[in-house]
Amino acid sequence: MSGPREIFRTVDQLATRTPTLPPATHTNSYAIGGRDVLLVEPATPYADEQRAWLAWARSLPSRGRRPIAVVATHHHADHVGGAAALTRELGLPLWAHAETASLLDVPVTRRLADGDVITLAGPIEERWTVLHTPGHAPGHVCLWNEDERVVIVGDMVASVGTILVKPGDGDMGAYLEQLERLACLDAQCALPAHGDPIEHPTGLFRWYIEHRRKREAKILAVVARSGPPGATAEAILPDAYDDVPASTWPIALLSVRAHLEKLAREGRVRETPGARYVAAP
Ligand SMILES: [Zn+2]
């Protein structure tokens, strides 16, 4: 925890320590709104960090700001580790997408859906539009303020560390589609869950898409080279990730699997017995 920080007039950030994916160590929470305030990301599960988070939330009314709800962008532990304790302590409702709600044991009072507009009363009324952006997690949402051209992006991109899309709760195809959608917003600033605010983020959104497409092309090339009986994800990994340190391979293996799932769904590779993949004819 490094102390709260004002990002804009009506957006404050507090980073707290969380069990997140290294090299990231913290998750950002945001207080948005000039009078009615949403607290985004009840992230930290640690008691000392929760005390700091609560002190931050309780300091807002002295500046004329009144928290009305806590919002979780998605269900991962480094985003909702404090959901139960922090909403209970503040007596605030938790808002999240229905897919996130179904994965939490904390009651979700309002289910956020794509296109919902949350109006925050204040000296300047703020309107934040909910964007359902699945891919990293099925119920992932972003919050978009079109007037200020600011978007809270959760784990869609990060300025510290990498974004993991893994089979199970991740979907590489959906993730790329949603990055494309974020790139089309023409946002001035993106506020990620990990790392500093990103000015003019369109280029970064496009870079993420490009990076994944290049990786996918490499995976496809390795599959094509392998021939029958096909290659396993483990066998594809060293060639597809030959440009990154082997220490990252355990995580990279999950990405290989997510890409293979997408390619199989698109009919570009075929899964054969023994979890091997061959190029589709
Ligand atoms: Zn996440």
Side-chain angles (χ1 to χ4, degrees):
M1 217 275 299
S2 54
R5 170 176 170 195
E6 186 180 301
I7 306 284
F8 296 116
R9 219 169 357 95
T10 62
V11 177
D12 286 37
Q13 179 202 72
L14 179 74
T16 52
R17 194 164 42 83
T18 54
T20 189
L21 192 64
T25 53
H26 287 63
T27 302
N28 296 324
S29 297
Y30 294 99
I32 60 175
R35 190 181 80 214
D36 286 0
V37 167
L38 298 181
L39 297 168
V40 184
E41 309 293 42
T44 184
Y46 306 123
D48 54 335
E49 295 287 279
Q50 287 186 353
R51 278 194 294 276
W53 199 97
L54 288 167
W56 171 62
R58 286 174 175 142
S59 74
L60 293 168
S62 69
R63 289 184 287 139
R65 299 173 75 198
R66 180 178 64 109
I68 59 166
V70 175
V71 175
T73 61
H74 64 295
H75 72 284
H76 289 158
D78 57 328
H79 294 256
V80 296
L86 299 172
T87 53
R88 189 183 55 239
E89 283 292 325
L90 295 174
L92 290 176
L94 179 64
W95 297 356
H97 190 270
E99 295 260 17
T100 299
S102 71
L103 295 165
L104 296 182
D105 32 13
V106 188
V108 169
T109 313
R110 175 170 171 184
R111 283 166 167 65
L112 301 174
D114 191 68
D116 283 0
V117 177
I118 302 167
T119 303
L120 299 177
I124 300 168
E125 186 180 270
E126 290 190 15
R127 290 159 15 102
W128 292 82
T129 303
V130 176
L131 308 176
H132 180 214
T133 53
H136 170 73
H140 193 287
V141 293
C142 295
L143 295 174
W144 165 231
N145 183 327
E146 195 178 350
D147 300 316
E148 300 286 341
R149 309 209 76 73
V150 174
V151 61
I152 293 179
V153 289
D155 272 354
M156 291 301 286
V157 298
S159 43
V160 171
T162 49
I163 297 300
L164 182 60
V165 176
K166 61 179 198 301
D169 62 5
D171 178 324
M172 190 63 77
Y175 177 61
L176 292 175
E177 270 170 36
Q178 296 304 323
L179 279 174
E180 189 67 52
R181 188 176 174 207
L182 293 180
C184 290
L185 294 176
D186 189 24
Q188 288 277 358
C189 182
L191 302 175
H194 307 288
D196 287 333
I198 302 155
E199 299 292 334
H200 307 290
T202 303
L204 186 71
F205 297 141
R206 295 241 172 263
W207 182 86
Y208 266 70
I209 296 167
E210 201 45 37
H211 174 74
R212 296 286 183 174
R213 297 240 179 261
K214 279 189 187 147
R215 193 64 72 189
E216 185 173 283
K218 261 178 118 161
I219 290 169
L220 206 48
V222 178
V223 172
R225 267 205 312 274
S226 334
T232 61
E234 288 82 355
I236 294 166
L237 176 68
D239 281 345
Y241 280 82
D242 58 359
D243 55 331
V244 300
S247 60
T248 65
W249 286 359
I251 294 289
L253 181 62
L254 300 170
S255 287
V256 173
R257 293 193 198 286
H259 277 291
L260 288 168
E261 265 188 6
K262 170 179 177 285
L263 290 166
R265 215 172 27 239
E266 293 168 353
R268 296 163 74 196
V269 302
R270 199 162 45 79
E271 192 177 348
T272 62
R276 291 169 182 278
Y277 290 84
V278 292

